[in-house]
Amino acid sequence: MTERSPSKRRLHRELLSLIKEPPPGVSLDAEQIEQNLFLWTIHLEGAERTLYEGESFQLQFKFSDNYPFDSPEVIFTGEHIPIHPHVYSNGHICLSILTDDWSPALSVQSVCLSIVSMLSSCKEKQRPPDNAFYVKTCNKNPKKTKWWYHDDSV
Amino acid sequence: MLRYILSFLRIIATKMLQLLSSRKHLIENVLRIYIKTTSGSTLSIEIDPKYDIKQIKNLVASKIGAQPEELKIIFAGKELGDNIIIEECDLGQQSILHAVKIKRNVPTDQSSSKMKPLCEILDDEMFSSNITNSRSNSFSTDNEVINISNSVMLENSTIRSKKIHFYVYCPTCKDLKQGKLRVRCHFCKSGAFTVHADPQNWIHVLEPKQITGTCENNPELCKDILQNKEPTFAEFYFKCSEHISLGETDQAVPLDLIRPNLKQIQCMACLDTSDTIFAFPCPDDHVMCLDCFKQYCLTKLTERQFWQHPEYGYTLACPTGCPDSFIKEIHHFRLLDDENYNRYHHFAAEEFVLQSNGLLCPQPGCGMGILAEPECTRISCQNCKYVFCRHCRQGFHIGECDVVENNDTAGQNFSCESDMNYNNGNSGELASRTTIKIMTKPCPSCKTPTERDGGCMHMICTRAGCKFHWCWVCQTEWTTECMGDHWFG
Ligand SMILES: [Zn+2]
Ligand SMILES: [Zn+2]
Ligand SMILES: [Zn+2]
Ligand SMILES: [Zn+2]
Ligand SMILES: [Zn+2]
Ligand SMILES: [Zn+2]
Ligand SMILES: [Zn+2]
Ligand SMILES: [Zn+2]
């Protein structure tokens, strides 16, 4: 048996624990992950009694060989991108734990939970004020964006 | 005929091999050690590791003309009892024992743990807690003492290996190795020294003046130096257990954050549970396996995210941001391979120069650190002889700089020789330095070369401690005007 890289070992473990005990509203496409361990699609359900109740979304996680020292690249994909002041219409998410505040102690699960709670705490569905401009000009990789983190009270 | 010669040669060859292997066998069973006596002489003796201390005393006594009962044998801060077997003492080839003549006729207390070698008394449990939150056991209350002895009994009943593991960086082997704890007098540095108490944690071992003891080498002399103002203290140090001792000055650096994984904690990065771990100095038991720790160092090094700590040097903290979790002993970064350890040194030197308000020679392939008077605008590099303008880093010129320049002192030119060039030049980086010149601009705040990764013009200095937000176009602080006008070029 060949020695697997730390990133593979880590992703494998995270995958197993997510399949075994998925947090409420989170599910994943294991078949697709089998094709490529470094690209995950995760299904999110809007939590009950929030503005997103009944809606479902897709998150895409891209990992580098250097995960978990490098943060994953996380965007919303698919037809339905949530309308939220921190989510651009191209799926990019303005969330500090995805770049500056990332730590190897965080995980796919903790990122999902942060995104769920970000959605749940929303009081008014709207796009970020600079959405049109950002989407026209941004890099494909949200991690290349030097975010000005919108204030977290939204 | 040929066949005959061949078989003859084969017989000779096997005979020689047998000879060699039996000789090797012999050597393995003989331990060559040195006995230092208080008279200053050193005896070299060959012993069987199965000898006990009584036999050693007989051997030494006959050689120095003393009675065996008059002698005590001291090793690693401990007087060894007569029935201790040499094997138990964690001696290596060419280790040094100390033989001291007893002057007073005091009966020695054979029952106490004092007569056992240090390596048999200490165990990993004591040293598994972090320096920052370990409580000293030596000043514990009676209740706690009872608890400790109970747990020792439990361990013994489950026949758990008590042997302590210390990890060191060995400058001779140039690698991470297991180490051995040794003790000497902190004044005269003599190994003929017995401790009054055993160290109970890393503070006792790493910090000076924690454990008192008796210097047997020259007690009067050591007392004189002290003028009875303070007791004589033990000084702890480490030896590599994997090469033959090169004498008393052959020391290894303790890597106290590398430990056996007693509590079976998962690596925070790969989630594996490995036998040996790197434990961050934080109270939350954040640990990494050694592979992941190396990867963490490498990642942070490449991102220039090490911190210049005023006391410890260029270092890292727990990646989850635990307070006060900086790695004190920077030799832990020796776990990086040679190339990256050189890079670490290089960056550390640059960081030192920048923090001392110095600057780095912008010439491709140079990068020499230069400390110059703040009003001096004409900087000359003593390494590559390049003479340049402090503000624009171009060749030295009279008058205004070509690029946009906001510094008040631009225009006034002071010529002076830089008083100190700080050498961090590394020819191995010639290629990367050439690209740095083309692809990067200096951070307006700290002048660290910064690369633009495509995307927008809003730069954040990557250097830990700076994080200055600036504009690639204006080369000044990032403003809302920049955002509106040329955010994306
Ligand atoms: Zn060594
Ligand atoms: Zn002394
Ligand atoms: Zn690991
Ligand atoms: Zn920590
Ligand atoms: Zn130079
Ligand atoms: Zn200039
Ligand atoms: Zn800077
Ligand atoms: Zn600008």
Side-chain angles (χ1 to χ4, degrees):
Chain A
M1 213 182 87
T2 51
E3 176 79 10
R4 285 181 309 149
S5 67
S7 56
K8 279 193 179 163
R9 291 205 303 266
R10 159 80 179 235
L11 285 170
H12 189 210
R13 296 233 184 199
E14 284 201 44
L15 185 58
L16 291 179
S17 86
L18 265 183
I19 289 171
K20 220 170 108 199
E21 294 164 55
V26 176
S27 60
L28 48 83
D29 185 347
E31 255 174 58
Q32 179 236 342
I33 296 167
E34 277 175 358
Q35 305 299 313
N36 182 356
L37 185 60
F38 291 89
L39 186 69
W40 295 21
T41 303
I42 301 225
H43 304 280
L44 281 191
E45 302 289 332
E48 282 173 35
R49 290 183 303 277
T50 70
L51 295 181
Y52 303 92
E53 180 171 358
E55 295 180 53
S56 61
F57 312 103
Q58 270 183 29
L59 279 176
Q60 185 193 29
F61 282 70
K62 247 190 217 170
F63 306 93
S64 78
D65 284 345
N66 207 19
Y67 181 76
F69 299 106
D70 280 351
S71 60
E73 185 189 320
V74 185
I75 54 170
F76 279 103
T77 56
E79 297 298 294
H80 195 49
I81 308 285
I83 297 176
H84 184 280
H86 290 183
V87 181
Y88 290 91
S89 55
N90 62 355
H92 288 196
I93 308 160
C94 180
L95 185 66
S96 65
I97 61 163
L98 295 178
T99 49
D100 284 13
D101 294 337
W102 171 257
S103 128
L106 295 171
S107 62
V108 174
Q109 167 153 350
S110 51
V111 168
C112 288
L113 291 176
S114 294
I115 291 174
V116 168
S117 90
M118 178 186 93
L119 293 179
S120 300
S121 60
C122 179
K123 306 233 163 43
E124 194 191 344
K125 279 191 186 182
Q126 55 178 32
R127 291 274 180 228
D130 54 341
N131 185 60
F133 181 63
Y134 175 80
V135 170
K136 237 193 308 181
T137 52
C138 71
N139 191 294
K140 261 209 203 121
N141 179 354
K143 285 175 69 181
K144 299 269 182 194
T145 300
K146 309 285 187 199
W147 296 99
W148 286 101
Y149 291 104
H150 305 123
D151 72 275
D152 286 333
S153 54
V154 189
Chain B
M1 184 63 188
L2 184 66
R3 184 176 292 171
Y4 175 76
I5 291 177
L6 276 178
S7 70
F8 177 73
L9 283 175
R10 196 176 301 132
I11 289 167
I12 290 186
T14 41
K15 277 259 159 66
M16 281 175 73
L17 274 175
Q18 276 168 357
L19 260 173
L20 277 174
S21 63
S22 69
R23 192 172 154 73
K24 190 165 172 255
H25 189 68
L26 255 175
I27 289 171
E28 270 173 359
N29 273 313
V30 171
L31 197 57
R32 171 178 292 280
I33 59 168
Y34 297 106
I35 308 275
K36 268 202 167 177
T37 65
T38 33
S39 62
S41 61
T42 305
L43 308 173
S44 164
I45 56 171
E46 284 188 350
I47 55 165
D48 187 319
K50 297 265 186 277
Y51 277 16
D52 63 15
I53 294 299
K54 182 82 192 150
Q55 280 168 292
I56 302 286
K57 283 185 182 172
N58 289 337
L59 224 126
V60 174
S62 68
K63 290 205 181 187
I64 63 170
Q67 292 302 309
E69 303 76 49
E70 290 182 299
L71 292 179
K72 50 181 174 183
I73 300 292
I74 296 173
F75 176 65
K78 290 282 168 179
E79 180 188 346
L80 301 178
D82 279 354
N83 43 13
I84 300 289
I85 312 292
I86 286 295
E87 266 181 341
E88 297 167 6
C89 299
D90 200 22
L91 283 178
Q93 287 288 352
Q94 303 184 10
S95 291
I96 298 169
L97 297 185
H98 294 265
V100 177
K101 263 195 180 180
I102 306 166
K103 285 174 190 135
R104 305 138 286 139
N105 215 357
V106 190
T108 42
D109 166 20
Q110 286 276 347
S111 63
S112 81
S113 75
K114 278 184 182 169
M115 311 299 278
K116 281 192 154 186
L118 195 58
C119 64
E120 292 285 306
I121 296 161
L122 305 182
D123 66 32
D124 284 329
E125 208 92 22
M126 297 174 179
F127 287 82
S128 63
S129 59
N130 279 318
I131 291 175
T132 41
N133 61 335
S134 64
R135 256 171 287 132
S136 161
N137 284 332
S138 56
F139 306 107
S140 52
T141 67
D142 288 62
N143 275 339
E144 278 176 277
V145 170
I146 290 164
N147 284 335
I148 288 165
S149 54
N150 273 347
S151 69
V152 168
M153 274 164 65
L154 269 177
E155 278 164 29
N156 286 348
S157 66
T158 54
I159 322 172
R160 201 180 142 270
S161 160
K162 256 191 99 201
K163 213 160 182 203
I164 183 127
H165 294 78
F166 290 113
Y167 295 92
V168 294
Y169 174 75
C170 171
T172 305
C173 304
K174 298 207 181 330
D175 207 354
L176 171 74
K177 295 287 178 194
Q178 290 223 8
K180 300 169 174 181
L181 182 63
R182 296 291 183 255
V183 185
R184 62 191 169 204
C185 169
H186 109 284
F187 271 102
C188 70
K189 310 290 176 199
S190 164
F193 186 92
T194 50
V195 290
H196 292 155
D198 301 323
Q200 300 291 320
N201 55 45
W202 276 108
I203 295 177
H204 290 160
V205 171
L206 296 178
E207 306 284 327
K209 296 191 181 179
Q210 297 288 317
I211 304 261
T212 59
T214 307
C215 177
E216 312 269 0
N217 180 41
N218 207 335
E220 278 69 43
L221 182 79
C222 276
K223 260 190 207 142
D224 279 353
I225 298 169
L226 293 164
Q227 294 166 330
N228 292 325
K229 274 182 192 147
E230 54 176 348
T232 317
F233 285 101
E235 182 176 286
F236 294 93
Y237 65 103
F238 288 85
K239 281 185 129 38
C240 167
S241 65
E242 284 172 59
H243 72 262
I244 294 175
S245 173
L246 306 172
E248 279 176 311
T249 53
D250 178 21
Q251 272 180 240
V253 190
L255 302 181
D256 58 293
L257 300 178
I258 299 177
R259 297 170 190 173
N261 194 359
L262 295 184
K263 291 191 224 161
Q264 295 287 297
I265 309 173
Q266 277 189 331
C267 166
M268 67 192 289
C270 72
L271 308 179
D272 276 359
T273 310
S274 56
D275 294 339
T276 312
I277 47 168
F278 182 91
F280 284 93
C282 59
D284 296 343
D285 279 336
H286 287 134
V287 311
M288 278 187 201
C289 69
L290 296 187
D291 276 350
C292 287
F293 176 67
K294 286 180 215 171
Q295 189 67 32
Y296 172 58
C297 295
L298 195 60
T299 308
K300 289 290 165 184
L301 189 66
T302 308
E303 294 171 353
R304 277 188 183 255
Q305 291 288 312
F306 275 63
W307 275 86
Q308 183 68 37
H309 188 282
E311 266 177 73
Y312 314 152
Y314 200 51
T315 190
L316 287 175
C318 173
T320 58
C322 295
D324 301 323
S325 60
F326 282 107
I327 299 166
K328 246 185 179 174
E329 175 52 77
I330 57 172
H331 280 92
H332 284 105
F333 303 121
R334 276 285 188 176
L335 291 188
L336 289 165
D337 59 44
D338 283 350
E339 187 193 330
N340 284 300
Y341 189 68
N342 285 339
R343 214 153 65 102
Y344 163 82
H345 262 298
H346 189 100
F347 287 178
E350 284 188 1
E351 195 59 40
F352 172 81
V353 168
L354 294 173
Q355 292 219 342
S356 321
N357 289 317
L359 23 87
L360 303 171
C361 173
Q363 201 62 346
C366 181
M368 172 69 97
I370 302 164
L371 301 179
E373 293 298 324
E375 69 275 11
C376 172
T377 52
R378 181 187 178 278
I379 310 289
S380 70
C381 171
Q382 285 176 12
N383 185 46
C384 70
K385 311 291 176 220
Y386 180 55
V387 181
F388 61 97
C389 162
R390 174 190 279 272
H391 306 295
C392 66
R393 308 290 154 116
Q394 304 295 322
F396 179 71
H397 55 88
I398 306 289
E400 303 251 323
C401 302
D402 264 354
V403 290
V404 184
E405 181 54 73
N406 301 290
N407 208 305
D408 327 321
T409 51
Q412 318 167 10
N413 292 301
F414 289 87
S415 174
C416 48
E417 288 304 305
S418 50
D419 25 317
M420 181 190 157
N421 279 9
Y422 190 86
N423 186 9
N424 66 344
N426 183 340
S427 53
E429 276 194 65
L430 210 118
S432 65
R433 292 221 151 252
T434 315
T435 53
I436 281 172
K437 178 115 194 253
I438 301 160
M439 306 289 296
T440 67
K441 290 185 182 179
C443 160
S445 173
C446 72
K447 310 292 185 210
T448 296
T450 309
E451 195 181 337
R452 196 168 73 97
D453 46 21
C456 71
M457 298 299 163
H458 174 201
M459 309 298 295
I460 300 171
C461 180
T462 50
R463 187 178 143 241
C466 178
K467 301 268 181 197
F468 187 70
H469 289 250
W470 57 285
C471 172
W472 181 264
V473 178
C474 309
Q475 290 195 63
T476 53
E477 189 168 5
W478 182 249
T479 61
T480 41
E481 283 78 62
C482 295
M483 210 190 308
D485 187 42
H486 46 259
W487 192 358
F488 293 90

